[in-house]
Amino acid sequence: KKVVSDKSFSFLDISFKLYNNNASVFNTDNNSNFEKRFFSVYKDEPPFIIHNYFKKINDDLSIEIYFSSNDVFFHNRKFQKLFVNKRAVMTNFFYPAVDSGIRNYISPGRHPLIFLYININPALIDINIHPAKKEIKFFDQNKIFSEIQKIISEGISNIINKDLYN
């Protein structure tokens, strides 16, 4: 299920159907709506609002984040994922960057939904770290760490400010 769900979140514009013993595990449409995709894949989760924030840093780098409000969190990191150039990957600093970005809004030990999509010039990363290409290395890891931290903080801050002034 994990491989197909990761692919479905990598390609929101493609529909996915997963069956196990002729029983539907999940079925998504191709409307590019992250929130609908999330609740199609994770049917057992109670509904909550998923926010979106996008930032173009420069011609070589843009970051998009989907995240839950600061009052919706989980006791583990099962809904914290990193996608780089439409591939689910890991880096050694992703969770520390997330924790740094949320620290002013969410208590330690609580983990909001954070699906982070980085589009980066392929010349700025090394994908040959892991045989299955599951782990990547950014040539400027400090910059990426900082940008992840900033976009998470900005996204959550924007939602809190909207709630305060509406």
Side-chain angles (χ1 to χ4, degrees), residues 147-158:
E147 293 299 342
I148 290 172
Q149 176 188 6
K150 278 195 274 186
I151 195 165
I152 291 170
S153 183
E154 288 172 12
I156 294 172
S157 176
N158 284 348

Side-chain angles (χ1 to χ4, degrees), residues 7-159:
K7 291 290 184 198
S8 80
F9 286 109
S10 294
F11 300 97
L12 296 174
D13 57 337
I14 296 174
S15 64
F16 286 82
K17 295 178 184 180
L18 178 62
Y19 292 90
N20 183 20
N21 295 328
N22 293 328
S24 175
V25 176
F26 67 79
N27 183 1
T28 68
D29 56 21
N30 62 344
N31 71 359
S32 298
N33 181 303
F34 181 89
E35 189 169 328
K36 282 183 81 173
R37 176 68 47 106
F38 180 83
F39 290 110
S40 292
V41 172
Y42 299 106
K43 297 179 206 173
D44 296 335
E45 289 302 316
F48 57 89
I49 295 171
I50 298 176
H51 305 281
N52 174 253
Y53 187 67
F54 174 83
K55 186 174 187 180
K56 181 176 180 176
I57 289 59
N58 56 44
D59 288 343
D60 289 328
L61 178 63
S62 65
I63 302 176
E64 185 167 20
I65 181 175
Y66 293 93
F67 60 100
S68 56
S69 298
N70 64 326
D71 60 346
V72 175
F73 47 83
F74 305 91
H75 297 290
N76 60 38
R77 296 182 187 275
K78 67 181 175 180
F79 298 131
Q80 293 185 350
K81 297 184 185 278
L82 172 64
F83 298 84
V84 175
N85 296 347
K86 295 194 177 242
R87 179 186 289 270
V89 297
M90 271 308 302
T91 65
N92 60 350
F93 63 86
F94 176 63
Y95 293 139
V98 168
D99 292 345
S100 182
I102 67 171
R103 75 171 168 236
N104 292 327
Y105 308 101
I106 299 172
S107 301
R110 296 178 173 177
H111 308 286
L113 174 137
I114 294 184
F115 277 60
L116 194 108
Y117 293 81
I118 296 176
N119 287 312
I120 188 167
N121 180 333
L124 301 176
I125 58 175
D126 183 356
I127 61 169
N128 295 314
I129 303 298
H130 186 276
K133 314 263 190 262
K134 296 280 183 210
E135 188 174 339
I136 66 165
K137 182 177 185 214
F138 294 91
F139 293 130
D140 190 350
Q141 293 193 104
N142 290 335
K143 177 175 179 51
I144 301 300
F145 179 98
S146 175
E147 293 299 342
I148 290 172
Q149 176 188 6
K150 278 195 274 186
I151 195 165
I152 291 170
S153 183
E154 288 172 12
I156 294 172
S157 176
N158 284 348
I159 297 308

